[in-house]
Amino acid sequence: MATPSVQQLPLADIHLPQAPSFWPLAWGWWVLFAVVIFAIAVVVTLIRRKKHADAAQKEALQKLSLITEEQGLPALNTLLKQAALSYYSRAVVAPLTGEAWLAFLDNQLPAKYSGFSELKSVWLSGSFSNTPLSSDDFQQCKIMANTWLKHALPPRKLPSMTQKESSNV
């Protein structure tokens, strides 16, 4: 018997199945989407907290740039006290005056920036005297106030005694 040729065989065409669909997604994709959404929510929350924490510092720096020599050291001292009250408990900051206040300011700064104690005589005489400070002394005090606002605020880690009062509610 003779073998039939390929063209003579009664074969049907090959039908390929449809390509698999992407929908419904596998559970691994759902987990990946959930992780990405969670990560985005965490990043947005951290950015908002940072922005909120820096708001008082930014406002204080703007006000500092507006303080003139005629307003004197009391204006600088008031601004520093207001900024400190934005981050620390009123019970801790409000009663501080004189050397205790300057020690508090120095304690909040990293060691390389401290200098309020060295300028103690200028700060104390300028705060409680009717005679205005010299231009150089005022500029030194303004630079120290700027340094404190930039490097002490917002506090990196609050000790338990300086927690905001609102956290106790």
Side-chain angles (χ1 to χ4, degrees):
M1 171 169 210
T3 52
S5 68
V6 174
Q7 293 176 349
Q8 295 174 350
L9 292 175
L11 298 176
D13 288 338
I14 298 175
H15 296 288
L16 296 175
Q18 288 184 338
S21 172
F22 285 111
W23 199 260
L25 294 176
W27 66 271
W29 287 107
W30 289 109
V31 170
L32 178 67
F33 291 147
V35 168
V36 167
I37 290 172
F38 179 74
I40 290 170
V42 167
V43 167
V44 166
T45 302
L46 291 175
I47 289 171
R48 283 187 176 176
R49 282 186 184 172
K50 176 76 171 143
K51 190 174 183 180
H52 179 70
D54 291 344
Q57 177 192 28
K58 188 175 182 180
E59 183 180 349
L61 286 168
Q62 288 173 348
K63 286 182 179 182
L64 179 65
S65 67
L66 301 175
I67 293 177
T68 62
E69 199 171 320
E70 290 79 31
Q71 293 170 315
L73 204 54
L76 288 176
N77 211 12
T78 301
L79 178 66
L80 289 174
K81 186 79 79 152
Q82 289 172 346
L85 285 170
S86 296
Y87 292 99
Y88 298 97
S89 170
R90 178 173 292 287
V92 172
V93 175
L96 296 175
T97 58
E99 291 182 30
W101 170 242
L102 296 176
F104 171 81
L105 292 174
D106 267 341
N107 288 337
Q108 305 314 311
L109 281 173
K112 66 181 179 178
Y113 297 113
S114 64
F116 286 96
S117 298
E118 287 83 23
L119 293 174
K120 175 173 52 175
S121 62
V122 175
W123 279 95
L124 295 178
S125 67
S127 296
F128 303 110
S129 175
N130 289 337
T131 59
L133 290 175
S134 69
S135 181
D136 291 338
D137 286 343
F138 179 76
Q139 288 305 319
Q140 265 189 315
C141 291
K142 193 170 181 178
I143 289 170
M144 278 305 301
N146 188 25
T147 301
W148 192 82
L149 291 172
K150 284 184 178 178
H151 297 286
L153 299 180
R156 302 297 176 247
K157 195 173 191 180
L158 292 174
S160 60
M161 67 178 247
T162 59
Q163 290 288 334
K164 289 284 289 177
E165 291 172 350
S166 61
S167 65
N168 296 334
V169 176

